[in-house]
Amino acid sequence: MDESLQIAKRARDFGLPDYFDMQAAMGQTKHVGGWTATQELAQLCNLQEGQEILYVGCGAGTAATTIAMEYKCRLVGVDLLETMVESAREWAQRRGVAERTEFRVADAQDLSFEDDRIDVLICESVNTFVPDLDKAAQEYVRVVKPGGYVGLNEAVWVDAPPEAGSEAMTAITGQENTQFRRMDRHAR
Ligand SMILES: C[S@@+](CC[C@H](N)C(=O)[O-])C[C@H]1O[C@@H](n2cnc3c(N)ncnc32)[C@H](O)[C@@H]1O
């Protein structure tokens, strides 16, 4: 068995929290490329002051609340974990954007938003953990207004992902069905 897998299983055996629970408790999550990548994505999505943004997989809320603060937009953040949503609300208070933000539990595969509502949807380092990517993609497109943007920042493998990678990531994060994905040759 891969060593990282053994460590993760052992941690859980000792009642230690999964990686995401630990991050929520610390109030910190991260994504590929950090804030620089988020800014680049926002620019590509033509994100403007006053727009309504949906940030899918908001995690602890650091990136989502920074977007709300820097771009002076209204932002709804969703995450599968209540602990992450609570952390995001705390960041919103700390950053003075609580009145323009809302955080709630939702699954990327079932966003429970009306059609054509959102100006820009942003999602960073989340889709690796989403079991049915086609379903999630349909949801992203459904909730965005015609002419709006879906901005994804995701780590993908150019070559075939390592066989034990997805299993190790599932063990570390506690999120079932985590899948390292290979970049489709059409994707950029
Ligand atoms: C690596 S963190 C990234 C968080 C955030 N985007 C950031 O950059 O700080 C991944 C987040 O995706 C969330 N997540 C995983 N699967 C999800 C799903 N199906 N729907 C919504 N959120 C999900 C996890 O709970 C976790 O908070």
Side-chain angles (χ1 to χ4, degrees):
M1 189 191 285
D2 181 84
E3 198 184 335
S4 61
L5 207 60
Q6 278 180 346
I7 290 165
K9 289 211 165 123
R10 219 180 310 145
R12 221 169 300 165
D13 289 345
F14 281 101
L16 294 172
D18 285 324
Y19 181 63
F20 281 151
D21 291 331
M22 189 183 71
Q23 285 192 319
M26 290 164 61
Q28 290 290 337
T29 41
K30 51 194 166 58
H31 57 260
V32 186
W35 177 241
T36 306
T38 305
Q39 282 176 297
E40 195 181 332
L41 193 58
Q43 200 176 355
L44 285 167
C45 292
N46 197 26
L47 204 158
Q48 305 287 329
E49 186 174 328
Q51 286 184 323
E52 185 168 36
I53 313 305
L54 177 60
Y55 192 102
V56 176
C58 61
T62 45
T65 53
T66 307
I67 290 174
M69 192 171 66
E70 294 293 324
Y71 293 90
K72 298 181 174 49
C73 53
R74 177 168 159 65
L75 183 142
V76 182
V78 298
D79 199 280
L80 212 47
L81 302 182
E82 179 68 43
T83 46
M84 292 291 188
V85 167
E86 283 165 11
S87 168
R89 288 181 189 138
E90 281 174 27
W91 274 111
Q93 287 288 350
R94 250 178 259 155
R95 290 185 162 150
V97 293
E99 282 178 13
R100 281 189 284 112
T101 56
E102 183 193 333
F103 293 95
R104 51 171 123 136
V105 172
D107 185 339
Q109 300 161 113
D110 181 12
L111 286 171
S112 50
F113 271 86
E114 58 267 40
D115 297 355
D116 303 338
R117 167 172 158 179
I118 302 296
D119 294 298
V120 177
L121 181 148
I122 302 272
C123 182
E124 304 183 280
S125 294
V126 174
N127 290 302
T128 299
F129 309 106
V130 175
D132 190 339
L133 210 45
D134 286 345
K135 205 168 168 194
Q138 279 167 24
E139 279 293 86
Y140 299 163
V141 172
R142 182 184 67 73
V143 300
V144 167
K145 288 175 184 169
Y149 289 83
V150 174
L152 306 179
N153 169 17
E154 208 67 40
V156 289
W157 292 74
V158 175
D159 296 319
E163 271 179 30
S166 299
E167 203 188 337
M169 191 60 106
T170 295
I172 290 163
T173 61
Q175 299 229 337
E176 298 302 329
N177 302 314
T178 296
Q179 288 173 59
F180 280 1
R181 291 190 167 92
R182 186 175 179 166
M183 182 174 69
D184 186 275
R185 66 178 182 281
H186 302 297
R188 285 240 158 230

